Amino acid sequence: LLLRALPVGSARRVSRVLRTAPVRVLTDPLVATAVNAAGLWLLYGTGLLGTMLRSAPVHLLVSVHVLLTGWLATAAVLSLEPTPHRRGVGTRAAALAAGMAAHDVLAKTLYAHPPAGVTGAEAGAQLMYDGGTVVHLAVAGLLWRQWYRSRASVRAAALA
């Protein structure tokens, strides 16, 4: 959408940036999912949560990080845009499953051992688990739909 909205010269510059090695690595579903999960584990497993709760700038940075890495992981798994070096559906499904596991284990860990000084941590962990399950199932459904549609075109080509 961005490339279509920009003037041709600007779109070409953005396209060059999107083809660079660092962007290619970050948009790999295995890397994007790992960055997302690692960020959540660092947030809740270190003193960063307490710092975030006391400092508005840190809170803003961490919130933006969580939002962007979640978006990046979802975009990398679904891979809706045509991208060079796109991973297959099996690899993207494995990345989604690993991300689901990391998210769910973190939610259960937070429920069993809430961070010190955080009120309502059990309810937050429950929301993290239940909400994450809904989102993960929706993403899995969209990924399955992509796979099924791609298989339908393969079957149609085989019949022709």
Side-chain angles (χ1 to χ4, degrees):
L1 181 61
L2 176 66
L3 294 177
R4 289 184 183 193
L6 290 173
V8 174
S10 299
R12 286 184 178 151
R13 283 190 294 277
V14 169
S15 183
R16 276 193 297 274
V17 169
L18 293 175
R19 286 192 305 264
T20 62
V23 172
R24 192 175 326 146
V25 168
L26 276 176
T27 58
D28 183 89
L30 298 170
V31 173
T33 303
V35 167
N36 183 33
L40 291 174
W41 276 90
L42 284 173
L43 171 62
Y44 293 109
T46 65
L48 183 57
L49 180 63
T51 304
M52 184 183 101
L53 294 175
R54 289 186 304 275
S55 170
V58 174
H59 189 277
L60 178 64
L61 285 173
V62 169
S63 296
V64 168
H65 176 268
V66 169
L67 177 69
L68 289 179
T69 58
W71 170 80
L72 181 65
T74 303
V77 165
L78 290 179
S79 194
L80 297 175
E81 298 295 326
T83 56
H85 311 290
R86 181 167 102 168
R87 294 281 194 143
V89 174
T91 302
R92 292 185 284 144
L96 177 62
M100 290 169 66
H103 193 268
D104 289 351
V105 169
L106 175 61
K108 290 178 180 182
T109 301
L110 290 173
Y111 188 85
H113 307 287
V118 177
T119 58
E122 290 88 359
Q126 186 69 43
L127 178 62
M128 181 184 209
Y129 182 80
D130 295 340
T133 299
V134 170
V135 171
H136 288 129
L137 288 176
V139 172
L142 291 170
L143 185 61
W144 175 84
R145 183 174 179 255
Q146 281 182 356
W147 172 81
Y148 186 77
R149 290 179 121 191
S150 71
R151 298 304 305 157
S153 61
V154 169
R155 287 189 297 273
L159 293 175

